[in-house]
């Protein structure tokens, strides 16, 4: 590019003593303003949420709405494929989308403050609505969104005020500033103007470096980056503060001893084969599946359970009142409908809780109320057949898991656990509400997303050892794993090699029909590549089906099959 091209029409205009065409403010000022204002809103929102009550922070509330609005395949992918890391991925995605909208709002605000403020108001309203529709919403819930929106509006107005309405700054404007006589000659402008002349990429009008920047630039940048920096501290800081409060409250919980303790574990619950999943899954190893972007953090003192809907005597319980009721302790295996054949979304724990059947008997459900809709503090819903909760199985409002208060990720302070039903229709965490309803009146969260309304756990079995693809030495080897036929119990497990006959495995002991069962089978491994398969038979005589099916809509089926090489 030649020097001639570098100076352009503006320079000629300048030379001719004409005003250079006004160049609008560079767009990135607006983008930065919008991002800074939004960051500030999130930071303020997070701090106000930490001070007034956990799950109402705008990012979480709006994020929750976004998650709820996402199409099933996207969510399925996110929730099940990266089930542990999806939260981070989703939050990053939301922040990215938010940044784009924030930039648009900022650009609008720099053109006309009213437009920008309208954009902020839309965001604020989404935040208020999102938090107010959380099932545990109190008067305090909209506060973080309102405070965040006010802060954003204030910052936008301030940022806009630091900049002139049009940042550039024609040669004529500049020369006008040089003296009251308004001589207008380019040579009279102050020194910085006589810097290098650069073409402006968007308009082709030359910009005078240095003075070509809007005069309030420094203050603008300090404010904008300052707000972003403050938000970068406030968002995690606010969350940590609140989480620490909840962790302290959890540590202070003293679980009552059960009036109906769990059966003593028979010594032989273990098949005694190395490599088999432990009978009791440690809390830290228990799979986690939920739609929550950030783990809902509820203090027991704020917790309430409303039992209402189609009942004769609605009931509200505090945590203290719940703990005062008779406690039942049971080993119950929980599994996720998204568990693939051979998958790991299944675990077994010793739960402590209150009988749901007893509570339902007290509220007296109406005859047609065939569905109990459970709601979590973050708006998740599950629908459980009323009959399943009242048929005498150990359906629990659990407060304890393996001798500890529920871990926060597993539903602290209170969750449901129902033997024999997949988690998505029964195991609501961070529970706040039980509403007696009917299947014809209400479809719960995953049912609206194409999963089945009724979802008993399908009989499954898994080979834990040897692992798939393993190389073994010829001779005796132990094939072993776990099998579950929830609420019916496993009566037999069979193994076959290649297409040989099904052979009886040995079964370990179990405390009840509601847990998985370890099995083992001694194999005389012969050289070559082999295929191992397993299937379980339940106490009703039903043989686990070999028909392969994916998890949607009501649980995967098929025989777990692995290949090994024997040398
Ligand atoms: N509040 C809430 N509870 C929930 C879910 C959820 O998304 N939100 N997911 C359910 C599903 S699909 C399963 S499989 C179990 C998993 O419980 P866990 O994370 O303790 O293993 O929780 C259930 N309870
Ligand atoms: Mo699940």
């Amino acid at each position: 590019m030649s020097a001639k091209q570098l100076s352009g029409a503006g320079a000629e205009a300048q030379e001719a003593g004409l005003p250079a065409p006004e160049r609008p403010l560079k767009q990135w000022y607006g983008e930065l303003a919008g991002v800074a204002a939004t960051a500030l809103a999130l930071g303020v929102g997070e701090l106000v949420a930490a001070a007034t009550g956990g799950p109402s922070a705008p990012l979480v509330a709006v994020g929750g709405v976004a998650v709820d609005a996402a199409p099933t395949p996207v969510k399925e992918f996110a929730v099940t494929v990266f089930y542990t890391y999806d939260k981070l991925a989703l939050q990053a995605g939301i922040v990215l989308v938010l940044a784009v909208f924030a930039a648009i709002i900022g650009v609008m605000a720099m053109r006309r403050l009213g437009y920008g403020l309208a954009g902020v108001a839309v965001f604020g309203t989404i935040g208020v609505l999102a938090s107010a529709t959380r099932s545990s919403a109190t008067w305090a819930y909209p506060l973080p969104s309102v405070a965040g929106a006010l802060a954003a509006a204030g910052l936008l107005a301030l940022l806009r005020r630091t900049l002139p309405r049009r940042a550039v700054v024609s040669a004529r404007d500049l020369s006008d500033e040089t003296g009251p006589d308004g001589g207008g000659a380019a040579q009279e402008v102050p020194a910085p103007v006589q810097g290098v002349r650069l073409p402006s990429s968007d308009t082709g009008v030359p910009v005078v470096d240095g003075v070509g920047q809007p005069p309030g630039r420094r203050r603008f940048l300090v404010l904008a980056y300052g707000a972003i920096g403050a938000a970068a501290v406030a968002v995690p800081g606010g969350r940590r503060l609140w989480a620490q409060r909840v962790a302290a409250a959890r540590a202070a919980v003293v679980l009552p001893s059960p009036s109906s303790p769990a059966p003593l574990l028979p010594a032989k619950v273990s098949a005694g084969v190395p490599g088999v999943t432990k009978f009791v899954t440690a809390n830290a190893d228990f799979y986690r599946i939920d739609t929550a972007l950030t783990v809902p953090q509820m203090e027991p003192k704020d917790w309430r359970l409303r039992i209402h809907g189609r009942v004769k005597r609605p009931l509200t319980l505090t945590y203290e009142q719940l703990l005062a009721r008779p406690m039942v302790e049971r080993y119950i295996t929980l599994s996720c409908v998204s568990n693939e054949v051979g998958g790991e979304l299944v675990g077994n724990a010793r739960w402590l809780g209150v009988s749901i059947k007893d509570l339902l008997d007290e509220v007296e459900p109406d005859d047609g109320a065939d569905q109990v809709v459970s709601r979590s503090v973050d708006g998740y819903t599950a629908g459980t057949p009323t009959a399943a909760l009242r048929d005498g199985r150990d359906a629990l409002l659990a407060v304890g898991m393996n001798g500890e208060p529920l871990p926060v990720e597993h539903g602290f302070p209170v969750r449901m656990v129902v033997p024999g039903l997949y988690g998505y229709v029964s195991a609501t965490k961070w529970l706040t509400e039980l509403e007696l309803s009917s299947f014809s009146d209400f479809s719960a969260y995953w049912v609206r997303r194409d999963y089945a309304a009724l979802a008993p756990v399908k009989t499954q079995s898994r080979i834990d050892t040897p692992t798939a693809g393993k190389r073994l030495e010829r001779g005796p080897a132990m094939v072993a794993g776990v099998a579950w036929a929830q609420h019916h119990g496993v009566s037999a497990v069979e193994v076959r090699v290649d297409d040989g006959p099904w052979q009886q495995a040995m079964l370990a002991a179990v405390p009840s029909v509601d847990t998985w069962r370890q099995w083992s089978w001694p194999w005389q491994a012969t050289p070559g590549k082999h295929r191992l398969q397993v299937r379980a038979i339940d106490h009703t005589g039903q043989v686990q089906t070999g028909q392969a099916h994916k998890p949607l809509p009501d649980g995967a089926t098929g025989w777990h099959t692995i290949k090994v090489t024997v040398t």
Side-chain angles (χ1 to χ4, degrees), residues 289 335-338 423-424:
I289 288 284
S335 86
C336 182
V337 70
S338 299
Y424 82 100

Side-chain angles (χ1 to χ4, degrees), residues 79 87 286-292 296 334-339 345-347 351 374-382 401 406-407 409-411 415-417 421-431 445-446:
V79 173
K87 307 300 186 293
F286 209 95
Y287 80 94
R288 177 185 163 203
I289 288 284
D290 51 63
T291 59
L334 180 62
S335 86
C336 182
V337 70
S338 299
N339 194 37
L345 302 181
V346 53
W351 307 95
S374 47
R375 274 196 186 80
S376 71
V377 67
D378 62 336
Y380 176 84
T381 55
M401 182 176 184
L406 282 181
E409 324 67 272
H410 293 292
R415 76 173 304 170
M416 287 172 64
V417 178
L421 302 180
Y422 283 121
Y424 82 100
V425 292
S426 72
T428 302
K429 305 190 274 188
W430 314 290
L431 180 74
Y445 188 91
W446 285 111

Side-chain angles (χ1 to χ4, degrees), residues 42 59-60 63-64 66-67 78 82 84-101 235 239 292-294:
L42 295 179
L59 189 56
V60 176
V67 171
F82 320 102
T84 328
Y85 304 104
D86 66 293
K87 307 300 186 293
L88 213 67
L90 272 175
Q91 289 207 55
I94 285 168
V95 166
L96 221 77
V97 172
L98 208 62
V100 171
F101 281 108
V235 170
R239 285 185 186 179
L293 273 182
T294 55

Side-chain angles (χ1 to χ4, degrees), residues 354-367:
V354 165
S355 157
I356 295 177
K357 177 181 189 297
D358 289 356
L359 283 168
L360 291 181
D361 289 348
E362 277 178 44
V363 298
E364 296 183 41
D366 296 348
D367 282 344

